[in-house]
Amino acid sequence: MRVTRRLTTALAGLLPLLAGMPAHAATADTAAPEVAAISLSRESITVAATDVQLLTVDVRLTDDVGVAEVDDSAGGHTPFLLFGSRGVAVSLVLGTGTAQDGVWTGVVAVTSDWAAREQPVRVVAQDDAGNVLDVDPRTVIETPAVAVRSSHTPVVELTVTPDPVYPNGAVTQTVRVIDRDTGRPWPDLPIVLAGDNACPEDVFGTANARTDSNGRYQRVLPAGELHQELMCAWVPAANVPGQRSTRIGGDTAFARYKFLVRATPAAPSVPAGVNVDVNGQVVPAIQGKVVLLQRLSGSEWRTVGRGVTRASSRFTVVATPPGVGVWSYRVYAPGDEQHAGSMSPTFTIRGT
């Protein structure tokens, strides 16, 4: 009885506090926002060349505690949706209703490089409790599509020469633009050439180049530097206020560098069967690159050891002359997506 009385008294003291709390505070909210409906302002769009047609997207979102509108320099704006096969990002703002049940609106620029039929493919939103919705709306609701009739799309090709590039050599970027329908070069067309983070991020790039009468633009990046960042080119189009940049017909490229490999044995001769370090370096600098020590056997090069480049891009491999005589060695750095493979000059170690 004494324990029961103490519990009753404690609960009586909590009741006024519980009564004054919001319903969702008594039980932590763990439910993410839900997408209830999506509608488009137009069922079909005709767009040509570098023109832009605007399409309004309305997304009805519901949530117990309320959908939050967040602008984060690291994560971007939420809520947002991705539209179409190109994944064009569309920021959404509350148009009508409330944060608990409202219609969020965004405008997307439809360009001539869109596919014939496009629809929203992803919706991302979060609520004031931090719960996140990240869903392909086609899996949960009937999702509308827009039919796109396009023509005379500019097709952009970006190439880098030479291929491969030797470290610290000059790099030539060439942009060619043709009309997809006619195949003819597109002269006097404004383009954007950019690199590094400007390629994947939706920056508002302004034209910094223009094609010549042959639909081509070319520039040389100077020797003496390593141009290892992602390179990109696109045709800029009219931007939609409050949305990401509008691009048409973009292309990307890398300067593929040829490794330069240097390797020197710590001693020119050692007793047969005794190990000797071979020290070297790979350029351009790369950490964690596997290099292969090869020895000439008859007319064939056989791999007899391996090493890994350190943070300094230097490496050490171990050679072991198998007998008395002069043995020829080299170090091979295999190629990868951004580099062409290469060998060091041949060096010899005498077994005594």
Side-chain angles (χ1 to χ4, degrees), residues 158 160 171 173 193-200 219 221-222 225-232 252-257 338-339:
L158 171 62
V160 177
V171 173
Q173 294 176 318
L193 265 174
D196 202 17
N197 291 337
C199 297
R219 72 178 181 184
L221 304 180
E225 302 177 18
L226 287 175
H227 306 285
Q228 292 185 287
E229 72 277 2
L230 176 67
M231 303 174 186
C232 53
T252 59
F254 278 101
R256 196 169 67 102
Y257 280 88
Q338 297 182 39
H339 303 90

Side-chain angles (χ1 to χ4, degrees), residues 196-214:
D196 202 17
N197 291 337
C199 297
E201 295 176 0
D202 291 289
V203 297
F204 289 93
T206 55
N208 56 8
R210 187 178 291 270
T211 59
D212 62 16
S213 59
N214 296 314

Side-chain angles (χ1 to χ4, degrees), residues 120-320:
V121 297
R122 183 184 178 192
V123 176
V124 177
Q126 59 181 307
D127 62 18
D128 287 324
N131 301 302
V132 176
L133 165 74
D134 189 346
V135 68
D136 182 341
R138 298 170 296 181
T139 64
V140 293
I141 61 169
E142 184 175 349
T143 305
V146 60
V148 180
R149 294 185 293 271
S150 62
S151 60
H152 300 288
T153 302
V155 178
V156 178
E157 179 189 43
L158 171 62
T159 57
V160 177
T161 54
D163 182 23
V165 184
Y166 282 91
N168 298 321
V171 173
T172 299
Q173 294 176 318
T174 302
V175 180
R176 294 180 177 87
V177 186
I178 64 170
D179 183 320
R180 186 178 62 189
D181 290 355
T182 66
R184 295 175 180 171
W186 201 308
D188 198 34
L189 181 68
I191 58 175
V192 177
L193 265 174
D196 202 17
N197 291 337
C199 297
E201 295 176 0
D202 291 289
V203 297
F204 289 93
T206 55
N208 56 8
R210 187 178 291 270
T211 59
D212 62 16
S213 59
N214 296 314
R216 192 179 78 155
Y217 174 81
Q218 192 171 76
R219 72 178 181 184
V220 177
L221 304 180
E225 302 177 18
L226 287 175
H227 306 285
Q228 292 185 287
E229 72 277 2
L230 176 67
M231 303 174 186
C232 53
W234 70 88
V235 177
N239 291 317
V240 180
Q243 299 294 344
R244 312 289 179 91
S245 65
T246 304
R247 307 179 179 191
I248 305 175
D251 194 19
T252 59
F254 278 101
R256 196 169 67 102
Y257 280 88
K258 185 179 182 67
F259 284 127
L260 289 183
V261 185
R262 304 183 184 96
T264 304
S269 62
V270 293
V274 173
N275 294 340
V276 58
D277 286 348
V278 176
N279 301 304
Q281 186 176 22
V282 174
V283 179
I286 183 170
Q287 182 177 4
K289 179 68 181 177
V290 174
V291 295
L292 305 177
L293 176 67
Q294 299 179 332
R295 185 178 67 229
L296 186 62
S297 178
S299 60
E300 295 183 358
W301 287 97
R302 297 182 178 178
T303 298
V304 293
R306 66 182 57 218
V308 178
T309 57
R310 302 182 287 274
S312 62
S313 200
R314 297 182 181 277
F315 62 85
T316 299
V317 291
V318 177
T320 310

Side-chain angles (χ1 to χ4, degrees), residues 64-137:
D64 290 341
V65 300
V67 175
E69 186 172 355
V70 179
D71 281 298
D72 184 351
S73 58
H77 176 98
T78 56
F80 72 89
L81 64 79
L82 297 184
F83 207 114
S85 55
R86 291 177 55 222
V88 178
V90 184
S91 298
L92 302 172
V93 296
L94 184 60
T96 60
T98 66
Q100 288 76 30
D101 187 349
V103 175
W104 297 75
T105 299
V107 178
V108 60
V110 179
T111 56
S112 62
D113 58 346
W114 280 41
R117 182 179 183 275
E118 299 281 32
Q119 61 188 149
V121 297
R122 183 184 178 192
V123 176
V124 177
Q126 59 181 307
D127 62 18
D128 287 324
N131 301 302
V132 176
L133 165 74
D134 189 346
V135 68
D136 182 341

